[in-house]
């Protein structure tokens, strides 16, 4: 299948390894992967802060780039960015040709784990990773896109990996886009609550598929520099390991 | 609606709340206990999703036809001997209640727990006229003794531990110290019973009003509402105009939905259905219903956000909200806190303090998934944020920042240049040198990030550079 990667601005700049791993895994799953360098950001930071005009300007560029893309699927290694593309049609009035374009782009856009499991129906990617892993459910993936069982199914097939479950209903890591810098104290308090629950499972690695959450969790773990702290990894990185 | 005694900034109020470890622990404990109970109560109802959808549909239908149902409600209540009053705002409601109350003569004023009376600041207004309304709900009574606002829609004193309650009782009632919940309840009951016996005026809210009968339904666990609405000579019920359901039989759904969602109970201990007055029977001689608008009709006129008025005040969104769990209800600085408060308050109060509340959320959407009437709270939060931007309530730095961000992101060249400069300057910016200190002066988002979290550095090569150079292999 021909797949176009929407790598997201955070992965592009801060976590290129995640993008590289995503490409490896997609190729291993039999996809032909392309990358259009005209892409930048989905517009989510502005959209979620109430800057609709700015979000529309940026989203419009992404829609134009991907509307022309001949790939059958657009794959995003981040749930909240994939969800934003699904919300994007709303930024354009009924009757605006961009709205229809945005809808067709949204219909082809998939979060990474759900693309593998739901679209390609692949769970075994022949990955090897030794250690105990706990999955952190990212809110937008979970509640906007229904990403819940797919990453778990993928992780269960990783040779040497023991998947453990955190207690109770998943809660937010506290990132929330500009929320993380407008309300840093509450944001970190939410993170610490979530981390306590995740760390109760004594994981070697915390895995998620939203780079925003990874940034938040990684930032705290690095700052605290506690000995024996778990590693923070994107699902693609775990699946690329062998 | 808003608490003038607190800082106008959410962040400052949240900081105060976070510093109060005792309170944080109480809020975390109580919200997770209630949520767990709720989960158990919902496990028994396989048709929960159908209940939610029906509950939403009925409420949405009422809101679409509110004028008709309000007239129906008024005429049916009147027919059964109730006097119905209309209050456009808080002041009108207070004046009406004061005028009615005057006729009750001397005697105690007993109050049932009611968020609508909190919304209009009734107690303070009556106290200013020399009256002494007595809260008869245990949680509300504790808060009244200590001069606090409720911090939760259903469990108003949820932020207090039993030791806090013990302290308040010793200080305000002069009793011997005990932190045993049943002894504390017994102390409160002794005082309340005496007042009930002398009560001349009872003031309550209403959970539901029934258009076809003119009845009101009040739900509770302590029995104080039943006493407050049946013993005094005059009973006044203050009810938001959105509280109606069309038919008596619609209550069968909400009677089960609200307690399960709110407290994880199958039913509340008491359900009082009050349909008019009958002078030949025991009970109040007069019953008055004050229908409160106070911003609701303005919200009703907004088709996208009208859903906010579907709320049945169960508090489930507060219990599940990670922000609420971290800071408690008082940090919202408004009568209605938590997710529902963040989307309701800006419609009931003007100004920057109310406009900031929709930002007190990480948009995690846990609230939307628990709401028993399926209010899409995150969507309303987003619309209110867009409105705050349009109304000029956001800071200059943020506005300029997003303009620059959009300019950068809409062109590949600018985006790539920005990333290269970021990489070039990040060493200096994140250093301990003078430039680093300026970059991390209190106003910048970077400083806010870095206080408790390490900054992530831009990679030596971006993904697009690796791709372009052919370094991404299969």
């Amino acid at each position: 299948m021909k797949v176009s990667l929407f790598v997201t601005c955070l992965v592009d700049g801060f976590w290129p390894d995640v993008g590289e791993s995503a490409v490896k895994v997609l190729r291993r799953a039999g996809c032909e992967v392309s990358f259009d360098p005209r892409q930048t950001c989905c517009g989510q930071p502005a959209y979620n802060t109430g800057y609709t005009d700015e979000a529309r300007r940026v989203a419009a560029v992404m829609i134009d780039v991907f509307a022309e893309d001949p790939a059958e699927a657009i794959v995003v290694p981040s749930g909240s960015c994939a969800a934003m593309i699904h919300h994007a049609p709303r930024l354009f009035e009924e009757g605006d040709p961009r709205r229809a374009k945005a809808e067709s782009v949204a219909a082809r856009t998939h979060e990474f784990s759900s693309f593998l499991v739901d679209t390609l129906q692949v769970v075994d990617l022949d990955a090897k990773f030794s250690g105990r892993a706990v999955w952190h459910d990212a809110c937008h993936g979970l509640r906007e896109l229904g990403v819940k069982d797919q990453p778990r199914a993928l992780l269960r097939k990783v040779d040497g990996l023991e998947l453990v479950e955190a207690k109770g209903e998943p809660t937010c890591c506290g990132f929330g886009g500009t929320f993380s810098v407008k309300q840093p104290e509450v944001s970190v308090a939410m993170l610490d609550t979530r981390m306590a629950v995740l760390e109760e499972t004594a994981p070697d690695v915390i895995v998620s598929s939203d780079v925003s959450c990874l940034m938040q969790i990684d930032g705290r773990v690095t700052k605290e520099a506690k000995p024996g702290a778990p590693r923070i990894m994107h699902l693609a990185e775990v699946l690329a390991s062998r | 609606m808003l608490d003038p005694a607190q800082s106008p900034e959410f962040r400052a109020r949240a900081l105060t709340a976070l510093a109060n470890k005792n309170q944080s622990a109480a809020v975390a404990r109580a919200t997770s206990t209630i949520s767990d109970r709720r989960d158990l109560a919902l496990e028994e109802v396989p048709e929960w999703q159908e209940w939610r959808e029906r509950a939403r549909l009925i409420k949405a239908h009422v809101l679409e036809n509110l004028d008709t149902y309000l007239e129906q409600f008024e005429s049916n209540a009147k027919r059964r001997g109730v006097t119905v009053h209309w209050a456009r705002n808080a002041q009108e409601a207070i004046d009406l209640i004061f005028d009615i109350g005057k006729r009750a003569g001397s005697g105690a004023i007993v109050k049932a727990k009611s968020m609508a009376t909190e919304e209009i600041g009734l107690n303070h207004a009556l106290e200013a006229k020399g009256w002494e309304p007595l809260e008869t709900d245990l949680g509300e009574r504790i808060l009244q003794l200590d001069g606090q606002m409720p911090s939760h829609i259903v469990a108003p004193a949820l932020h207090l531990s039993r030791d806090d309650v013990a302290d308040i009782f010793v200080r305000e009632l002069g009793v011997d110290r005990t932190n045993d919940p049943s002894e504390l309840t017994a102390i409160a009951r002794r005082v309340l019973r005496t007042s009930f016996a002398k009560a001349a005026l009872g003031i309550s809210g209403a959970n539901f009003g029934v258009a076809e009968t003119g009845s009101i339904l009040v739900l509770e666990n302590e029995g104080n509402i039943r006493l407050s609405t049946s013993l005094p000579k005059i009973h006044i019920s203050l009810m938001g105009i959105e509280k109606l359901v069309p038919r008596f039989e619609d209550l069968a759904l909400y009677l089960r939905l609200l307690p399960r969602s709110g407290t994880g109970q199958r039913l509340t201990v008491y359900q009082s259905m009050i349909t008019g007055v009958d002078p030949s029977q025991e009970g109040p001689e007069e019953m008055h219903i004050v229908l409160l608008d106070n911003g609701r009709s303005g919200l009703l006129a907004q088709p996208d956000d009208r859903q906010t008025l579907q709320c049945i005040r169960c508090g489930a969104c507060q219990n599940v909200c990670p922000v609420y769990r971290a800071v408690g209800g008082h940090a919202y600085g408004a009568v209605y806190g938590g997710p529902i408060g963040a989307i309701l308050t800006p419609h009931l109060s003007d100004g920057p303090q109310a406009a900031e509340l929709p930002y007190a959320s990480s948009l995690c959407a846990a609230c939307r998934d628990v709401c028993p009437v399926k209010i899409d709270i995150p969507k309303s939060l987003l619309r209110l944020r867009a409105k705050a931007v349009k109304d000029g309530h956001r800071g200059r730095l943020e506005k300029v920042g997003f303009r620059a961000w959009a300019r950068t992101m809409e062109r590949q060249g600018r985006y790539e240049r920005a990333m290269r400069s970021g990489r070039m300057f990040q060493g200096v910016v994140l250093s301990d040198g003078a430039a680093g200190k300026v970059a991390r002066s209190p106003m910048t988002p970077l400083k806010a990030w870095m206080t408790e979290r390490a900054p992530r550095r831009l990679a030596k090569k971006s993904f697009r550079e690796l791709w372009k150079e052919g370094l991404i292999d299969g």
Side-chain angles (χ1 to χ4, degrees):
Chain A
M1 190 185 279
K2 281 198 166 82
V3 166
S4 181
L5 186 68
F6 178 47
V7 82
T8 79
C9 56
L10 289 182
V11 169
D12 190 17
F14 292 98
W15 305 74
D17 298 357
V18 169
E20 196 177 345
S21 301
V23 173
K24 268 188 198 163
V25 172
L26 288 168
R27 284 184 179 152
R28 208 186 288 161
C31 297
E32 190 184 315
V33 185
S34 62
F35 172 79
D36 190 325
R38 291 176 300 162
Q39 62 178 269
T40 58
C41 169
C42 62
Q44 187 182 194
Y47 181 71
N48 283 356
T49 315
Y51 290 83
T52 317
D53 292 340
E54 285 79 1
R56 190 182 297 114
R57 274 164 59 188
V58 173
V61 177
M62 290 313 97
I63 288 159
D64 289 346
V65 167
F66 287 105
E68 301 169 356
D69 198 316
E72 290 160 79
I74 299 150
V75 176
V76 193
S78 183
S80 60
C81 310
M84 179 65 217
I85 295 176
H86 285 265
H87 294 320
R90 232 185 273 144
L91 286 165
F92 306 94
E93 301 278 335
E94 207 79 62
D96 182 335
R98 273 240 177 72
R99 188 174 173 119
K101 266 164 102 178
E103 275 162 4
S104 86
V105 169
R108 285 188 292 141
T109 299
H110 307 270
E111 182 274 335
F112 177 70
S113 70
S114 109
F115 175 72
L116 291 171
V117 177
D118 301 332
T119 309
L120 295 182
Q121 312 212 321
V122 172
V123 285
D124 192 345
L125 286 145
D126 198 20
K128 283 191 186 64
F129 184 92
S130 104
R132 239 166 115 83
V134 65
W135 177 255
H136 167 69
D137 290 280
C139 299
H140 289 186
L142 176 70
R143 300 197 181 92
E144 308 294 329
L145 304 172
V147 173
K148 185 178 182 186
D149 299 331
Q150 302 90 329
R152 291 178 168 85
L154 291 161
L155 288 172
R156 266 188 220 106
K157 289 286 181 193
V158 175
D159 191 20
L161 182 143
E162 181 197 356
L163 180 64
V164 288
E165 283 294 331
K167 254 204 312 217
E169 286 294 309
T171 64
C172 176
C173 71
F175 180 72
T178 47
F179 177 81
S180 68
V181 289
K182 291 283 176 184
Q183 306 296 339
E185 298 83 10
V186 186
S187 170
V188 170
M190 287 159 68
L191 173 60
D192 288 348
T193 303
R194 183 64 191 147
M195 284 301 281
V197 177
L198 293 172
E199 285 182 339
E200 247 178 66
T201 64
D204 299 312
V205 55
I206 296 173
V207 191
S208 194
S209 67
D210 199 305
V211 192
S212 316
C213 312
L214 294 179
M215 189 128 173
Q216 165 92 339
I217 298 172
D218 182 67
R220 186 73 172 143
V221 169
T222 308
K223 177 88 182 183
E224 287 193 310
K226 282 192 281 196
R231 289 173 67 190
I232 315 300
M233 287 177 84
H234 189 280
L235 176 68
E237 294 176 291
V238 176
L239 297 180
S241 320
R242 51 200 324 190
Chain B
M1 255 326 284
L2 296 169
D3 185 355
Q6 289 198 67
S7 159
E9 308 263 324
F10 178 81
R11 187 174 172 191
R13 297 191 301 266
L15 265 177
T16 309
L18 289 169
N20 187 342
K21 298 289 171 208
N22 184 18
Q23 177 181 298
S24 300
V27 172
R29 197 168 46 234
T31 49
S32 74
T33 307
I34 303 174
S35 293
D36 290 349
R37 256 187 240 150
R38 179 183 192 275
D39 292 345
L40 285 176
L42 298 198
E43 271 173 28
E44 298 178 349
V45 187
E47 63 276 35
W48 179 252
Q49 294 308 328
E50 286 132 61
W51 286 17
R52 283 177 86 201
E53 180 57 16
R54 257 183 64 213
R56 181 191 74 77
L57 278 171
I58 294 170
K59 278 286 183 177
H61 167 79
V62 167
L63 295 175
E64 293 279 335
N65 303 281
L66 194 58
D67 49 347
T68 314
Y69 286 121
L70 280 168
E71 280 172 15
Q72 227 186 78
F73 177 79
E74 181 185 28
S75 79
N76 287 321
K78 274 184 176 163
R79 212 152 45 82
R80 292 177 164 86
V82 177
T83 314
V84 178
H85 312 260
W86 299 81
R88 270 174 298 199
N89 52 43
Q91 194 53 51
E92 282 190 13
I94 289 166
D95 293 344
L96 278 165
I97 292 169
F98 188 67
D99 283 343
I100 303 162
K102 272 193 269 190
R103 290 210 305 279
S106 62
I109 304 166
V110 285
K111 259 204 79 241
K113 177 179 147 36
S114 147
M115 289 307 290
T117 62
E118 294 289 342
E119 181 186 323
I120 64 168
L122 183 62
N123 284 352
H124 286 306
L126 295 182
E127 281 158 10
K129 295 184 195 265
W131 293 16
E132 291 175 19
L134 181 82
E135 288 290 348
T136 62
D137 174 87
L138 179 58
E140 289 283 358
R141 180 70 193 130
I142 294 163
L143 297 179
Q144 190 180 31
L145 284 171
D146 202 38
Q148 294 191 38
M149 271 189 5
S151 76
H152 187 278
I153 293 174
V154 173
L158 162 143
H159 60 290
L160 299 178
S161 67
R162 54 188 167 146
D163 286 316
D164 296 329
V165 178
D167 290 342
I168 294 169
F169 276 21
V170 169
R171 198 175 61 236
E172 302 297 330
L173 299 174
V175 296
D176 291 336
R177 189 184 166 85
T178 168
N179 67 0
D180 179 69
S182 53
E183 283 178 40
L184 289 167
T185 310
I187 294 168
R189 182 181 288 134
R190 271 202 301 280
V191 182
L192 293 173
R193 287 276 160 171
T194 339
S195 303
F196 277 129
K198 304 183 296 199
L201 175 64
I203 302 172
S204 78
N207 293 103
F208 298 95
V210 182
E212 73 173 0
T213 59
S215 316
I216 63 161
L217 174 68
V218 272
L219 302 176
E220 54 152 341
N221 289 318
E222 297 173 17
N224 64 302
I225 298 191
R226 184 158 293 173
L227 292 173
S228 303
T229 56
S230 58
L231 288 177
K233 195 165 72 178
I234 299 179
H235 167 212
I236 306 172
S237 166
L238 178 68
M239 180 169 91
I241 52 171
E242 82 283 18
K243 290 278 177 180
L244 297 183
V245 295
R247 300 162 309 175
F248 197 78
E249 65 179 79
D250 296 324
L251 293 177
L253 173 65
Y254 295 101
L255 207 58
R256 293 174 293 166
L257 189 84
L258 176 54
R260 279 190 198 261
S261 185
T263 49
Q265 290 173 287
R266 292 184 180 127
L267 291 170
T268 51
V269 179
Y270 293 85
Q271 298 113 21
S272 302
M273 182 78 65
I274 306 170
T275 309
V277 278
D278 183 348
S280 68
Q281 302 286 321
E282 284 187 339
E285 292 164 20
E286 287 180 31
M287 179 178 175
H288 299 263
I289 296 176
V290 177
L291 290 163
L292 178 68
D293 183 334
N294 204 30
R296 288 165 174 76
S297 53
L299 176 50
L300 189 68
Q302 301 176 33
D304 288 339
D305 281 321
R306 183 182 292 161
Q307 54 157 355
T308 302
L309 293 172
Q310 286 165 207
C311 175
I312 57 172
R313 308 280 190 268
C314 73
C317 62
Q318 300 185 319
N319 300 329
V320 80
C321 175
V323 176
Y324 182 95
R325 283 183 173 196
V327 299
H330 286 164
Y332 292 81
V335 168
Y336 302 103
I340 185 64
I343 62 168
L344 181 59
T345 308
H347 295 288
L348 308 184
S349 311
D350 291 326
Q353 187 177 336
E356 199 200 359
L357 288 178
Y359 288 88
S361 160
S362 68
L363 299 173
C364 82
C367 51
R368 180 194 64 200
D369 288 3
V370 295
C371 178
V373 289
K374 296 170 85 169
I375 301 172
D376 193 339
I377 296 174
K379 285 236 180 71
S380 280
L381 288 169
L382 285 171
R383 276 191 290 270
L384 286 164
R385 288 180 182 194
K387 185 172 184 296
V389 170
K390 223 171 94 212
D391 293 350
H393 288 308
R394 304 299 294 169
R396 231 188 110 63
L397 181 73
E398 187 181 277
K399 211 163 136 185
V400 173
F402 271 112
R403 228 175 263 158
W405 169 89
R407 237 184 87 78
T408 307
M409 291 298 179
E410 67 188 347
R411 290 282 185 279
Q412 181 190 351
R414 288 182 200 144
Y415 166 84
E416 289 173 357
R417 272 197 299 282
M419 188 133 37
R420 279 197 299 273
S421 340
R423 209 152 48 196
M424 213 182 303
F425 293 114
Q426 66 181 351
V428 182
V429 168
L430 298 176
S431 76
D432 292 328
K437 290 208 172 96
V438 171
R440 302 199 301 274
S441 64
M443 66 196 297
T444 65
L446 186 62
K447 161 84 177 182
W449 177 272
M450 281 181 64
T451 312
E452 305 279 355
R453 291 159 292 202
R456 177 102 190 159
R457 284 171 190 258
L458 285 159
K460 286 199 184 71
K461 278 197 173 160
S462 64
F463 176 85
R464 63 185 53 226
E465 286 163 334
L466 294 172
W467 182 273
K468 197 176 165 194
E469 293 168 21
L471 297 175
I472 311 261
D473 51 20

